[in-house]
Amino acid sequence: MTGLLAQATTKGPPINWEALSPFIALVAGGCIVLLVGLARSAFIRRQVVPVLTLLTLGATAGLGVWQWDINEGIVANAMVVDNLTLALTMIFVAGGIAAVFLSWRSIASAEAGEGEYYALMLMSILGMLVLVAANDLVVLFIGFELLSIPLYVLCATHMRREQSLESGLKYLIIGSVGSATLLYGLAMLYGAAGGTNYGDIAAVAAEMADDTLFMVGIGLVLAGLAFKASVAPFHQWTPDVYEGAPTPVTGFMAVATKAAAFGVIIRLFVGPLIDATTTWAPAFATLAVITIIVGNVGALGQSSLKRMLAYSSVAQAGYMIAGVVVTTQLGIAATVFYLAIYVVMNLAAFAVITARERETGLGDDISSLYGLGRDRPFLAWPMTIAMLALAGFPVTAGFFGKIYLINAAVNNGYGWLGVVIVVGSAISLAYYLRVVAAVWMREAPAASTSLSAVPIMAGGSPEGDEAAYAAGREPGADVGRVVSEDFGEPSIITSGPRISQPEVIFVAVFCALVTIAFGVYPEPLMDVARDAGEALQSLR
Amino acid sequence: MTIHLSILVFFPALMGLVSAFSPRSLAPKILLVGTLIPLAYTIYMITDFDAGAGLQYVTDDAWITELGIRYKLGIDGLNLWLIALTCVVAFASAVWLSVRTPERAGLFCFHFALGQTAVLGAFVAQDLALFVLFFDLMLVPFYFIVGQWGSGDRAAAALKMVIYTLVGSLLMLAAAVATAVLSNPGGELSFVLTDLQANLLSESQQKWLFVAFALAFLIKMPAFPFQGWMPDAYRSMPLPALAFFSGVVSKVAAYGFLKLVLPLFPAATNDWNVILLILAVISILYGSIQAFTQTNARLILGYSSIAQLGFITLGIFAIDASGQGAQGALLQSINHGLVVAPLFFVVALLAERAEGSEDIRDYGGIAFRAPVLAALFLIVALATLAMPGSANFAGEFLILLGAFSSVQALAFLASIGVILASVYALRMYIRSMHNRVGPKVTSFEMTLRDGLVLVPLVLAIIAFALYPQLALDAGEATVRSTVEAVLR
């Protein structure tokens, strides 16, 4: 027994603890948050726990910056911490921080228990980190599941709302199918390559490119990852899950999960499978076209903002695939750049949706934005800037994001993909501008329509709960009081009582400012993106 | 780093930002300052300009090295007078806004000033990506102006306008990137126009990129058959913004042809120019015919703009040996901006005298009690129909001269447009000013404050009629070398 232990210690790989430190910070922070969340004091649960979560995320980001430029394999080469991993870490952390701010007064975190809610979020971020750092098929799958399982739960945290539960269940089932597909594909790759490390796969990729087992493996892996990245035709879950999940969780999923999925796609396909490009590039290019078209057309008729943003995220995924498919460092840099700005653009939008959801009782319907431009500039402008940026208007980061991607596409002979991106953007104008029009060009609904909204609120509906909870009342417990209070002045329900939620407005305004700042001077972010692209040395 | 042109370009937007936070009464005054300083500066530049010295007042700084985009601005013979036009019309609109302040004036002034900044930026940009950026940006403030302050179904009109024009712009964006990448394959990316001109693309590459650029500009003008967005947008846009939009924004498209398309795609210009000429002639005839059948005063002007821009396109693509067509086009761009802007203000004044109606059937007999207004209107109308002695006459004459020496048949058809112009211009004048007093008309003389808007513009028209040579001289060298490059 002792001999066995001694043997084990000698065989243990040397571990670069410094490089591993961002991971450790997340694990430790997750545990602490979970334990502190057990406290009975409402103050500790509602204020201290989110602050601890923020500290954890800040520490992770700080450690990531500290490890910038180390570019080495850690833990027996099972993971790689390089600039791509770290750049994506920053994106996950940014998404996480925003999600914490948006969840601060959210009913979902209260119903699930703050400790669990925030710990799950941290674990999910850890999963993303592991996923994009993975240099081994097994680690990849561990990361994939660590990312997904907390999210299944998070989607269902708004427990008294049917759609939230439905969303969680749907995500669980479809996500499991995706995981199974991925796992099957990974097994085949292992079978073909004879090893799980990316190095083993890279060694055989060139000669095995036409091997049936290998090709099927690639196909299944591609499909599994496409589920997570919501690439059409594997995107069907996206609108339903986005709509049902609590808005802060949706925002987190939309940005961080997307970044993680693209991170692993880059890491795996543009890494060890680079010599098999002829096998997977045509498939991916086709998927890009389908995704751009399906996403943009699907978004056209949506009146739910979250559904619209879900389809928009599908379309945006299509644009980003174009950057992956060209398999150049420039393309990767463009993708990472686009991912980063995609995060801020979307978070601004989700912050505004969260704010209006609490104020209006209209949920995430587009009508909740009516008349916003007249008296709520701090919500109206962020939403406007976010939509214009997503559509690729100049003086927002989205403009340079598109130029960067098109540049990468044209540079390596994929000019036609550039044209598809442009056509997609043209279609997207219709639905992005619809939101802008709702903000600026529609009047806030009159009192007569708001009367009909009263029963919604009185009935203890989810939206009413959200509003009531954010206003400082316990959800559901005082339905009667809500009615008696609000019936006298019904207009405040739809035009929206002003709820003090400075952190949500902060997220919206901050993200909008960043979008503009990178639209005027994108150079710093492009430097980071270029460093991330250069981490993949197999490329030119 | 010289900052002259940055001040010129961004001063309006800065003042617009200030006015956005100002009280309603103060906002237009701040906008007025924001348009006055660039105007004064432009006048100084005109006196200081050296026609033989090429690009002047150059600002050239690294901006986004990763994408090869430089912040390069400059003044040459092509854009100098167009910038002056922009500043004059913007100033007139700002005066109008001070007299008749719209609701939520701060925001209106912000959007308007942003529009002026974008137009000025597009004119002075010497980097293709920078031009595209400003060209796309131009649309945003007008989208908001139509959508928030427009009349009728404004949200729909705004959306239609944006989608039409941005489809063209987005294609141009892709084409611009492709131009830069292909012109120096494998090498350092650069969007600077002089670099792109030094490495011209092969003819087959030029052909496709030309189409994207031409589409963007033809939609923006608008030219036949891309005018679908124009009626709704013109009907809805508030008049002070429309004066600027019609007078100046459409000229950016004409300028884009001269500044970008001809120099960057000379071979493709030779291939496509017959198509463009045919579209130009159809635009002239279609626009003119529509202009004298429509009864809505705004649409009369809108369609007449299509005809006038048809003339400008005709001149640009005449590609005659001495470059007269292109010179006439440049002159006519300035002329048309100068005449169409006051016409829109006149329409606003007419509407005030006819219970807000903009239908010329409701007008009539207005001149009787408003002789000064009638006189000013007459001068502008005569300039519009290119009366001999006006600068418009010189412009159209040069365009037709150029066209006759290269494509006679089309030039002959186009000259019908000159006759039609007098029909629609005089029809509008007579229907509103003379005839029996219309049913809704209660005429009264224009006020001194309205005069502040109209008189400077009319004076500019007259001054320009006397000295068109000023603008022609400034642009002659550049235009001629551009056309010669295509002929080579």
Side-chain angles (χ1 to χ4, degrees):
Chain A
M1 185 66 192
T2 25
L4 208 66
L5 270 176
Q7 209 180 8
T9 40
T10 48
K11 272 195 171 177
I15 290 177
N16 181 347
W17 294 102
E18 294 177 355
L20 204 58
S21 58
F23 300 81
I24 297 169
L26 280 173
V27 177
C31 295
I32 293 170
V33 165
L34 191 58
L35 290 175
V36 174
L38 294 174
R40 291 184 65 89
S41 151
F43 173 77
I44 292 184
R45 280 189 285 117
R46 290 195 186 160
Q47 311 294 338
V48 176
V49 166
V51 169
L52 283 175
T53 316
L54 288 179
L55 286 178
T56 309
L57 290 170
T60 311
L63 293 169
V65 172
W66 175 45
Q67 292 299 314
W68 192 257
D69 271 340
I70 70 158
N71 298 325
E72 60 181 64
I74 56 170
V75 199
N77 221 11
M79 293 201 274
V80 179
V81 174
D82 58 11
N83 288 348
L84 179 63
T85 310
L86 294 174
L88 291 169
T89 305
M90 302 304 155
I91 293 178
F92 305 145
V93 167
I97 289 176
V100 172
F101 277 127
L102 297 191
S103 308
W104 206 295
R105 278 167 233 256
S106 148
I107 195 170
S109 64
E111 285 190 357
E114 279 85 357
E116 289 89 330
Y117 182 90
Y118 291 111
L120 283 170
M121 198 174 273
L122 287 176
M123 285 304 128
S124 182
I125 293 176
L126 175 67
M128 295 170 187
L129 217 57
V130 172
L131 184 64
V132 297
N135 195 37
D136 189 290
L137 298 181
V138 178
V139 178
L140 186 159
F141 191 70
I142 292 173
F144 195 81
E145 289 298 278
L146 192 53
L147 177 173
S148 309
I149 293 171
L151 279 181
Y152 302 147
V153 184
L154 282 174
C155 282
T157 43
H158 197 168
M159 277 181 265
R160 296 180 334 102
R161 189 160 153 252
E162 207 176 318
Q163 293 100 311
S164 177
L165 300 178
E166 181 195 328
S167 148
L169 187 62
K170 199 170 244 172
Y171 196 25
L172 171 66
I173 293 172
I174 296 182
S176 308
V177 173
S179 299
T181 318
L182 175 70
L183 189 59
Y184 205 23
L186 294 178
M188 287 188 173
L189 284 188
Y190 169 58
T196 55
N197 197 279
Y198 284 7
D200 303 332
I201 300 169
V204 299
E207 56 192 275
M208 297 286 274
D210 295 326
D211 183 79
T212 316
L213 185 63
F214 198 70
M215 274 169 71
V216 174
I218 288 180
L220 289 174
V221 169
L222 196 156
L225 295 176
F227 268 111
K228 259 297 114 79
S230 42
V231 167
F234 309 104
H235 70 287
Q236 273 98 344
W237 59 273
T238 319
D240 294 346
V241 172
Y242 275 31
E243 188 190 14
T247 310
V249 176
T250 310
F252 176 67
M253 278 203 311
V255 299
T257 315
K258 181 84 69 184
F262 269 94
V264 68
I265 286 173
I266 291 171
R267 178 73 78 198
L268 181 63
F269 283 87
V270 189
L273 296 177
I274 185 74
D275 287 327
T277 312
T278 45
T279 310
W280 58 264
F284 252 135
T286 317
L287 286 184
V289 178
I290 297 174
T291 307
I292 290 172
I293 293 171
V294 167
N296 280 317
V297 173
L300 284 176
Q302 305 298 335
S303 66
S304 149
L305 290 170
K306 277 152 81 180
R307 283 187 86 86
M308 188 278 277
L309 282 172
Y311 278 109
S312 127
S313 88
V314 173
Q316 307 272 341
Y319 304 151
M320 287 186 268
I321 295 178
V324 176
V325 135
V326 296
T327 58
T328 55
Q329 287 188 348
L330 184 66
I332 304 307
T335 309
V336 172
F337 180 81
Y338 204 90
L339 270 175
I341 60 167
Y342 169 83
V343 169
V344 281
M345 302 187 288
N346 270 286
L347 286 177
F350 278 111
V352 176
I353 296 173
T354 307
R356 288 307 280 176
E357 222 171 29
R358 291 175 189 173
E359 288 178 348
T360 61
L362 292 168
D364 65 334
D365 194 81
I366 193 165
S367 59
S368 68
L369 299 176
Y370 286 176
L372 213 55
R374 262 181 206 259
D375 45 17
R376 304 299 300 276
F378 289 114
L379 292 177
W381 279 107
M383 195 65 174
T384 310
I385 290 169
M387 290 299 127
L388 294 182
L390 284 166
F393 273 87
V395 197
T396 65
F399 180 74
F400 289 117
K402 290 237 167 79
I403 288 200
Y404 212 174
L405 279 176
I406 295 172
N407 173 20
V410 175
N411 232 318
N412 209 22
Y414 279 95
W416 60 273
L417 260 182
V419 175
V420 176
I421 292 178
V422 162
V423 172
S425 308
I427 302 173
S428 76
L429 287 173
Y431 57 88
Y432 289 132
L433 290 179
R434 202 167 143 233
V435 176
V436 177
V439 171
W440 295 100
M441 300 165 199
R442 299 291 290 262
E443 306 295 325
S448 60
T449 45
S450 63
L451 269 173
S452 64
V454 172
I456 300 178
M457 191 154 184
S461 88
E463 290 81 10
D465 276 359
E466 190 76 62
Y469 182 75
R473 294 189 292 260
E474 280 301 323
D478 51 0
V479 166
R481 197 156 61 82
V482 173
V483 174
S484 59
E485 245 179 33
D486 290 338
F487 209 76
E489 34 178 355
S491 62
I492 63 166
I493 295 168
T494 38
S495 65
R498 287 188 190 215
I499 297 167
S500 166
Q501 39 185 349
E503 73 284 347
V504 176
I505 292 176
F506 167 75
V507 171
V509 172
F510 181 78
C511 289
L513 286 179
V514 170
T515 309
I516 295 287
F518 285 136
V520 175
Y521 193 66
E523 191 87 9
L525 189 58
M526 283 185 177
D527 285 343
V528 173
R530 199 186 48 227
D531 282 353
E534 281 168 1
L536 292 160
Q537 290 172 357
S538 50
L539 303 179
R540 64 178 171 80
Chain B
M1 175 176 179
T2 44
I3 56 166
H4 302 66
L5 289 183
S6 303
I7 294 175
L8 174 74
V9 170
F10 291 106
F11 190 75
L14 186 70
M15 285 292 117
L17 203 59
V18 174
S19 71
F21 294 102
S22 313
R24 182 166 179 268
S25 54
L26 204 59
K29 312 281 187 302
I30 295 171
L31 179 71
L32 204 58
V33 176
T35 53
L36 187 63
I37 302 282
L39 178 63
Y41 190 72
T42 316
I43 291 171
Y44 164 73
M45 279 199 302
I46 288 173
T47 57
D48 188 52
F49 185 76
D50 178 3
L55 205 61
Q56 292 162 49
Y57 297 95
V58 180
T59 301
D60 190 2
D61 292 293
W63 183 25
I64 305 171
T65 40
E66 184 70 21
L67 291 173
I69 301 174
R70 293 188 69 83
Y71 180 69
K72 187 177 181 189
L73 312 175
I75 297 278
D76 59 13
L78 284 182
N79 57 18
L80 177 67
W81 284 89
L82 288 167
I83 291 166
L85 168 75
T86 311
C87 293
V88 168
V89 176
F91 179 69
S93 293
V95 174
W96 180 273
L97 286 172
S98 319
V99 178
R100 292 177 174 72
T101 309
E103 59 169 323
R104 280 171 296 150
L107 212 51
F108 190 103
C109 292
F110 169 70
H111 285 305
F112 185 84
L114 191 63
Q116 192 192 354
T117 286
V119 171
L120 288 173
F123 278 137
V124 296
Q126 303 295 328
D127 179 290
L128 186 56
L130 199 57
F131 176 86
V132 174
L133 186 149
F134 281 122
F135 189 81
D136 287 359
L137 182 64
M138 233 153 50
L139 198 59
V140 179
F142 290 99
Y143 167 70
F144 282 105
I145 288 179
V146 173
Q148 288 184 73
W149 289 273
S151 52
D153 195 357
R154 56 205 172 148
L159 186 65
K160 198 170 176 184
M161 177 178 84
V162 170
I163 289 188
Y164 252 95
T165 42
L166 255 193
V167 166
S169 301
L170 283 168
L171 282 177
M172 183 171 78
L173 172 71
V177 176
T179 310
V181 173
L182 297 176
S183 77
N184 193 6
E188 195 79 355
L189 194 64
S190 171
F191 282 92
V192 178
L193 288 176
T194 42
D195 291 352
L196 296 176
Q197 248 168 294
N199 304 309
L200 287 181
L201 305 173
S202 72
E203 189 176 340
S204 54
Q205 290 168 331
Q206 283 185 22
K207 258 187 176 170
W208 292 108
L209 298 172
F210 178 96
V211 174
F213 276 89
L215 208 57
F217 294 143
L218 289 176
I219 293 173
K220 194 83 182 182
M221 274 180 163
F224 185 87
F226 307 108
Q227 80 288 10
W229 59 272
M230 190 278 288
D232 287 346
Y234 272 48
R235 228 179 271 154
S236 188
M237 199 183 290
L239 281 162
L242 184 55
F244 185 78
F245 188 82
S246 180
V248 179
V249 174
S250 58
K251 304 307 171 296
V252 181
Y255 170 77
F257 273 126
L258 275 175
K259 178 76 188 176
L260 304 176
V261 173
L262 263 53
L264 295 184
F265 313 117
T269 306
N270 272 324
D271 295 340
W272 287 104
N273 86 324
V274 177
I275 308 272
L276 266 297
L277 286 171
I278 290 171
L279 285 182
V281 171
I282 297 176
S283 294
I284 294 171
L285 298 178
Y286 172 82
S288 306
I289 291 169
Q290 284 283 356
F292 68 72
T293 47
Q294 294 290 332
T295 57
N296 182 313
R298 289 169 180 240
L299 290 190
I300 294 175
L301 297 180
Y303 283 109
S304 80
S305 295
I306 292 182
Q308 296 287 332
L309 283 157
F311 269 112
I312 293 170
T313 316
L314 182 75
I316 293 170
F317 286 94
I319 317 287
D320 54 310
S322 53
Q324 279 167 326
Q327 281 186 50
L330 186 58
L331 181 61
Q332 192 63 7
S333 300
I334 302 158
N335 288 332
H336 177 244
L338 274 182
V339 299
V340 84
L343 281 176
F344 278 113
F345 291 124
V346 167
V347 168
L349 293 177
L350 293 179
E352 283 175 7
R353 285 155 181 74
E355 299 175 9
S357 167
E358 284 163 358
D359 194 313
I360 60 166
R361 284 172 299 189
D362 295 335
Y363 296 164
I366 293 178
F368 186 57
R369 293 201 185 276
V372 180
L373 175 62
L376 293 176
F377 187 11
L378 184 62
I379 295 171
V380 182
L382 290 180
T384 307
L385 63 83
M387 191 75 170
S390 68
N392 300 55
F393 175 74
E396 284 190 7
F397 185 75
L398 276 171
I399 290 171
L400 288 175
L401 208 61
F404 266 113
S405 60
S406 64
V407 276
Q408 280 190 0
L410 288 173
F412 182 73
L413 280 174
S415 48
I416 299 173
V418 181
I419 304 163
L420 296 178
S422 54
V423 178
Y424 61 71
L426 289 177
R427 167 174 173 264
M428 185 171 165
Y429 179 77
I430 294 168
R431 281 282 192 107
S432 52
M433 287 301 174
H434 298 318
N435 287 358
R436 209 163 293 169
V437 176
K440 292 183 176 173
V441 171
T442 37
S443 184
F444 50 90
E445 185 54 287
M446 58 192 270
T447 62
L448 199 60
R449 294 196 298 180
D450 297 336
L452 281 178
V453 181
L454 278 182
V455 171
L457 284 172
V458 172
L459 286 179
I461 294 172
I462 294 172
F464 216 58
L466 296 175
Y467 299 105
Q469 207 58 34
L470 277 175
L472 283 174
D473 287 346
E476 188 174 0
T478 325
V479 169
R480 203 166 275 203
S481 65
T482 306
V483 173
E484 274 164 12
V486 176
L487 284 171
R488 217 176 294 137

